[in-house]
Amino acid sequence: MRSADRSPLPSAGRTLSGGGRERSYRLYRPVSVESGKPAPLVLVLHGGFGSAGQAEQAYGWDELADRHRFVVAYPDGVGRSWNAGWCCGPAHLHDVDDVGFVGELVADISAGESVDPRRVFAAGVSNGAMLAYRIACESPGLLAAIGVMSTLDILIVRTGYCR
């Protein structure tokens, strides 16, 4: 995990236009990933009030990508939030199509990088975890698996998020 020393992040900042909005994300491709060889992609969805840069700095995914040879994308939510369908913040309030955004993001990264479409994963924290569940429900086949973390997510699984 990177310390909070404000050193520059090793990823590249990028933008993507879609759904009437310009969205931003950070992309980290380790030198350990062979150019031209399809690599797994992990999307790291920050929690509410977080950001792509905060997630990259705090969660330790770059180091895991170096060790296990995969590409990591850190998208930014609208107003530091994700539209999980029933929750949260500005993204929900403005009915932002975050499921569509993530689909476009995967397509955009895949067009510019060599990504194995069978090995695209999402890891989400709190509000990002809620979005990961929503993507899994509404875009079957986009993600091979999701990993989530937060107490509220246990409640979502027990009550059945996909209906």
Side-chain angles (χ1 to χ4, degrees):
M1 195 175 306
R2 198 176 322 334
S3 66
D5 64 1
R6 302 285 184 217
S7 60
L9 297 172
S11 63
R14 297 184 178 189
T15 59
L16 172 66
S17 293
R21 295 180 183 273
E22 185 160 298
R23 304 288 298 266
S24 61
Y25 68 97
R26 303 196 65 77
L27 187 70
Y28 180 70
R29 182 178 187 91
V31 295
S32 62
V33 173
E34 293 179 44
S35 183
K37 182 178 179 185
L41 170 64
V42 175
L43 308 170
V44 178
L45 304 171
H46 63 75
F49 308 107
S51 69
Q54 168 271 322
E56 182 177 10
Q57 191 165 34
Y59 301 161
W61 282 95
D62 290 353
E63 291 82 1
L64 288 171
D66 287 334
R67 192 173 327 135
H68 299 287
R69 297 183 184 109
F70 60 86
V71 177
V72 187
Y74 302 92
D76 271 311
V78 171
R80 296 181 169 264
S81 68
W82 300 109
N83 182 359
W86 56 275
C87 169
C88 293
H92 178 68
L93 182 66
H94 298 293
D95 197 28
V96 174
D97 182 7
D98 280 326
V99 174
F101 166 60
V102 170
E104 292 172 6
L105 177 65
V106 170
D108 186 63
I109 294 168
S110 297
E113 302 287 328
S114 187
V115 170
D116 182 346
R118 296 168 294 134
R119 296 187 295 164
V120 177
F121 307 90
V125 174
S126 190
N127 183 217
M130 293 177 212
L131 178 61
Y133 281 120
R134 185 174 186 196
I135 295 164
C137 293
E138 296 181 14
S139 295
L142 179 65
L143 303 173
I146 63 171
V148 299
M149 188 179 112
S150 103
T151 308
L152 181 58
D153 299 322
I154 294 168
L155 175 66
I156 292 170
V157 169
R158 287 190 174 166
T159 59
Y161 192 81
C162 296
R163 290 188 183 15

